[in-house]
Amino acid sequence: EGTPPNPAMWTYDIGGDGWGNEQLEFNTDRVENVSLDGQGNLRLVAREESYNGNDYTSGRIKTQGLVEQKYGRVEARSRLPEGQGLWPAFWMLGANINEVPWPGCGELDIMEYQGQRPARMFGSLHGPGYSGGEAITRDFVLDGGETFADDFHIFAIDWDPGRITFSVDDEVYGIMRSAEVSSLGDWVFDHEFFVILNLAVGGTLGGPVGPDTVFPAEVLVDYVRLFE
């Protein structure tokens, strides 16, 4: 089913060792987990199945070594799944990660989300002195009973020297500045980063999978765009 994403832009993170935060899925390069759906969307699909010692499979793709960017606008139009234990993200890591280990390379989370709280998402910065549970975070909540599982939304950053602006559907919900992190650690967002899209299952942020969570669960991505 489906075809793989464009290999000139996307490569795969493969494995099932928890990804540093106890995630339950094995991320594969199979079209069952990552594919174009023929309707103009990229699909990341989490499935409940035994695979290489894990109880779930999913997808985690990245532009590392292929498409990397410093400053500008980075956005994705996406629809997210609902359900306890589903943890999708659209994020970036410093392209120097092999030379400068995380969090020194910098991490930019444009969209993170917990399927058990489907009206809320958040954006974060991780760097030396402000990483993991100490990340600098802002959240955005849809009003009127809407959820991010109901429809597509545009998750974006506008990235300038010393300032990163986070928005949903062009509504700004957070502006993070270098002055804000100077008391915590270094500002590490003045070099090239690459993009990651993934759908985690469980983990320290996703939490245990709920009895009502339906698999397969999917993230649909209409587009990812980078503007200089």
Side-chain angles (χ1 to χ4, degrees), residues 162-215:
R163 185 184 68 192
I164 300 172
T165 303
F166 292 74
S167 63
V168 174
D169 301 325
D170 288 329
E171 183 178 339
V172 172
Y173 69 90
I175 300 175
M176 302 187 198
R177 296 179 173 87
S178 54
E180 180 182 353
V181 310
S182 60
S183 61
L184 303 170
D186 293 336
W187 178 261
V188 286
F189 304 98
D190 293 315
H191 55 266
E192 292 197 327
F193 278 60
F194 60 88
V195 174
I196 304 171
L197 284 169
N198 71 295
L199 172 53
V201 179
T204 49
L205 191 66
V209 176
D212 302 326
T213 300
V214 176
F215 292 92

Side-chain angles (χ1 to χ4, degrees), residues 43-80:
R43 298 172 71 213
L44 299 177
V45 183
R47 299 180 181 274
E48 187 173 14
E49 58 180 333
S50 291
Y51 189 91
N52 284 12
N54 295 62
D55 292 328
Y56 302 90
T57 60
S58 192
R60 176 172 163 137
I61 58 173
K62 60 185 180 178
T63 67
Q64 186 175 17
L66 298 168
V67 180
E68 295 173 352
Q69 176 140 337
K70 172 183 170 183
Y71 306 143
R73 181 176 173 89
V74 182
E75 66 178 29
R77 183 172 183 267
S78 184
R79 194 180 83 199
L80 308 178

Side-chain angles (χ1 to χ4, degrees), residues 58-127:
S58 192
R60 176 172 163 137
I61 58 173
K62 60 185 180 178
T63 67
Q64 186 175 17
L66 298 168
V67 180
E68 295 173 352
Q69 176 140 337
K70 172 183 170 183
Y71 306 143
R73 181 176 173 89
V74 182
E75 66 178 29
R77 183 172 183 267
S78 184
R79 194 180 83 199
L80 308 178
E82 192 169 343
Q84 162 78 45
L86 299 173
W87 173 16
F90 167 46
W91 51 299
M92 303 180 80
L93 282 172
N96 60 343
I97 189 168
N98 292 335
E99 294 77 45
V100 182
W102 185 92
C105 61
E107 175 180 331
L108 248 169
D109 300 330
I110 304 170
M111 177 282 296
E112 277 191 287
Y113 163 95
Q114 296 161 297
Q116 59 268 41
R117 302 181 67 181
R120 172 182 173 263
M121 57 74 62
F122 42 99
S124 307
L125 297 183
H126 300 252

Side-chain angles (χ1 to χ4, degrees), residues 10-39:
W10 298 107
T11 183
Y12 299 83
D13 272 333
I14 297 171
D17 59 2
W19 298 99
N21 47 47
E22 301 169 32
Q23 291 167 215
L24 302 176
E25 84 285 351
F26 192 104
N27 292 304
T28 84
D29 59 356
R30 307 178 306 163
V31 291
E32 288 87 350
N33 298 112
V34 182
S35 68
L36 303 177
D37 70 355
Q39 310 295 312

